[in-house]
């Protein structure tokens, strides 16, 4: 795999090393190899292009999990979350290039600067948010040079100094860089480095506004990034049943949080979560079928808004975001394995069929 053409549509799923979600409290060992294998293969069977392997301060290592996912699949791409600041950029560049070579070019990197000071402190990082984004900019400067430089290079920044940096191993093709963050400091990095800019499942108005800001930040660098939307589809055979399921998931989320003794969610520190909560504050339903109540319940901790309906209705809602410029859809369910199978069986074919019919009509 390599950088996608601007208009190519991409679907990204989500794999985790054990069965857990807002409605399924984590239990058992931190890594269930059989579950990880099933989840990865369900995405490959369903026609997903990639899967996200997430990063958190307390969870198993994403790069090593990605290697295992590659070992149990044949073509599935890997979108590996990597938090900057803990691995030297020259080392990280070699790690990702090595895995890209071993997997035949299946690697992408999702660069994370970190949006919660409390979580970052668990790994000993105490920089301010703006300083973290400045460090990420330098990190990506060096990583990209390591992937492409034919000769040793020097780099002098505020956070990294490299003398005669060089990597013997290069990627099979250009490794795509996915990047998110809505603060001014984040957008400055996105404009310089993001091949695909990642948004959460916001309203149409919010998505259009943020896409405009990212494009403006990228223009001085002569860049035109792709855009990704992260959302949680809730599907059923009828619209009424889908909304019943959405309300049931909300109730179960509340029950799980209560059983764990969790009170009201803390105010998020990152701008992306604040944007989701701003939408939720205006009501639980937006546009055609965007459901924000679960985001409100969890403090918008990550990808937490849903599109609700039949596969055909949710495919139509995704097309609305496609009209706004989104070409990558990162989707995952509240029942991770079962939902991945349902997406592959019904949602992805429905979207591709609808997009194909639209293209044929426009051509005619």
């Amino acid at each position: 795999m390599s950088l996608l053409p601007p208009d190519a549509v991409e679907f990204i799923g989500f794999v985790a090393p054990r069965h857990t979600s807002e409605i399924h409290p984590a239990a058992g060992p931190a890594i269930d190899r059989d579950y990880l294998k099933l989840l990865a293969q369900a995405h490959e069977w369903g026609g997903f292009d990639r899967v996200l392997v997430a990063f958190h301060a307390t969870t198993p290592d994403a790069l090593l999990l990605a290697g295992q996912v590659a070992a149990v699949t044949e073509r599935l791409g890997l979108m590996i979350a990597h938090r900057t600041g803990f691995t030297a950029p020259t080392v990280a560049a070699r790690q990702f290039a090595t895995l890209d070579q071993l997997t035949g070019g299946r690697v992408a990197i999702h660069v994370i600067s970190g949006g919660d000071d409390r979580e970052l402190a668990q790994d000993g990082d105490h920089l301010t948010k703006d300083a973290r984004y400045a460090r990420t900019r330098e990190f990506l400067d060096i990583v990209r040079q390591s992937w492409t430089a034919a000769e040793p290079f020097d780099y002098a920044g505020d956070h990294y100094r490299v003398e005669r940096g060089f990597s013997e191993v290069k990627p099979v093709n250009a490794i795509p860089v996915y990047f998110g963050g809505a603060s001014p400091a984040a957008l400055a990095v996105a404009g310089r480095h993001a091949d695909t800019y990642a948004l959460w499942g916001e309203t149409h108005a919010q998505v259009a506004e943020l896409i405009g800001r990212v494009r403006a930040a990228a223009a001085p660098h002569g860049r035109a990034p792709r855009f990704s939307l992260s959302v949680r589809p809730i599907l059923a055979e009828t619209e009424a049943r889908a909304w019943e399921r959405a309300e049931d998931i909300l109730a179960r989320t509340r029950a799980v949080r209560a059983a764990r003794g969790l009170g009201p969610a803390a105010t998020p520190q990152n701008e992306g979560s604040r944007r989701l909560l701003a939408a939720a504050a205006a009501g639980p339903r937006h546009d055609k079928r965007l459901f924000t109540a679960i985001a409100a319940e969890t403090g918008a901790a990550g990808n937490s808004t849903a599109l609700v309906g039949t596969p055909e209705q949710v495919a139509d809602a995704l097309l609305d975001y496609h009209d706004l410029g989104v070409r990558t859809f990162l989707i995952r369910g509240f029942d991770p394995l079962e939902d991945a199978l349902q997406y592959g069986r019904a949602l992805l074919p429905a979207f591709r069929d609808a997009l194909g019919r639209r293209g044929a009509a426009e051509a005619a």
Side-chain angles (χ1 to χ4, degrees):
M1 294 184 177
S2 58
L3 299 183
L4 290 170
D7 285 329
V9 171
E10 177 184 47
F11 277 96
I12 300 178
F14 180 87
V15 296
R18 61 177 168 176
H19 184 219
T20 182
S21 78
E22 291 84 347
I23 61 175
H24 297 289
I31 297 177
D32 181 337
R33 292 175 60 196
D34 291 337
Y35 178 77
L36 179 63
K37 178 180 178 179
L38 282 173
L39 193 55
Q41 292 178 341
H43 283 87
E44 183 159 77
W45 171 85
F48 281 81
D49 298 286
R50 295 188 184 276
V51 286
L52 169 64
V53 186
F55 181 101
H56 189 274
T58 63
T59 55
D61 183 79
L63 196 66
L64 296 177
L65 290 176
Q68 179 67 8
V69 170
V72 299
T73 56
E74 296 180 358
R75 59 150 197 88
L76 189 65
L78 307 163
M79 177 184 173
I80 306 166
H82 180 83
R83 182 165 289 167
T84 59
F86 304 114
T87 304
T90 50
V91 176
R94 296 196 300 274
Q95 290 174 329
F96 277 86
T98 299
L99 186 59
D100 196 55
Q101 284 287 343
L102 292 174
T103 60
R106 293 158 65 182
V107 167
I109 182 172
H110 181 44
V111 176
I112 303 171
S113 302
D116 188 321
D117 292 343
R118 293 157 295 195
E119 187 204 349
L120 286 152
Q122 292 179 282
D123 274 328
D125 189 358
H126 299 280
L127 289 183
T128 65
K129 182 170 71 172
D130 285 359
R132 291 196 298 266
Y133 280 113
R135 180 176 63 189
T136 294
R137 178 185 62 77
E138 294 184 12
F139 175 93
L140 286 170
D141 286 346
I142 295 167
V143 163
R144 287 193 182 278
Q145 287 191 67
S146 296
W147 286 339
T148 58
E151 301 290 341
F153 64 90
D154 296 338
Y155 185 92
D158 293 330
H159 299 276
Y160 299 107
R161 293 181 61 86
V162 174
E163 296 179 6
R164 296 187 57 76
F166 186 72
S167 175
E168 293 180 1
V169 58
K170 307 295 186 187
V172 174
N173 296 296
I175 291 180
V177 173
Y178 294 73
F179 182 88
S183 68
L187 293 182
V189 181
R192 181 181 178 91
H193 279 299
D195 297 313
T196 296
Y197 178 84
L199 306 102
W200 281 339
E202 301 182 350
T203 67
H204 294 169
Q206 287 177 310
V207 167
E209 181 267 339
L210 189 49
I211 284 178
R213 288 166 59 199
V214 174
R215 285 175 171 161
H221 302 284
R223 309 186 75 253
R226 290 168 52 88
F227 293 94
S228 169
L229 183 86
S230 298
V231 73
R232 312 284 288 275
I234 299 175
L235 307 180
E237 63 278 5
T238 67
E239 181 176 11
R241 179 69 190 92
W243 282 109
E244 290 174 5
R245 186 180 173 216
E247 293 294 343
D248 178 65
I249 290 170
L250 175 60
R252 291 168 65 188
T253 298
R254 288 172 173 158
V256 167
R257 291 180 61 82
R260 295 175 60 193
L262 298 177
T267 301
Q269 296 179 346
N270 68 85
E271 184 64 23
S273 292
R274 293 189 186 119
R275 289 171 64 90
L276 291 187
L277 291 179
R285 301 188 187 187
H286 296 267
D287 302 323
K288 286 180 180 175
R289 42 197 75 259
L290 182 67
F291 186 51
T292 61
I294 298 168
E297 183 66 28
T298 61
N303 178 10
S304 50
T305 54
L307 293 175
V308 183
T310 67
E312 292 75 19
Q313 289 171 330
V314 172
D316 180 66
L318 292 176
L319 277 176
D320 290 339
Y321 288 106
H322 184 276
D323 290 340
L324 295 174
V326 173
R327 293 296 181 268
T328 291
F329 298 97
L330 197 163
I331 58 175
R332 64 183 177 103
F334 294 94
D335 292 303
L337 179 59
E338 296 84 352
D339 286 340
L341 291 166
Q342 188 180 29
Y343 298 157
R345 185 167 50 242
L347 179 57
L348 270 62
F351 177 86
R352 288 167 176 151
D353 182 61
L355 185 63
R357 290 199 310 271
R358 173 185 286 186
E362 291 174 351

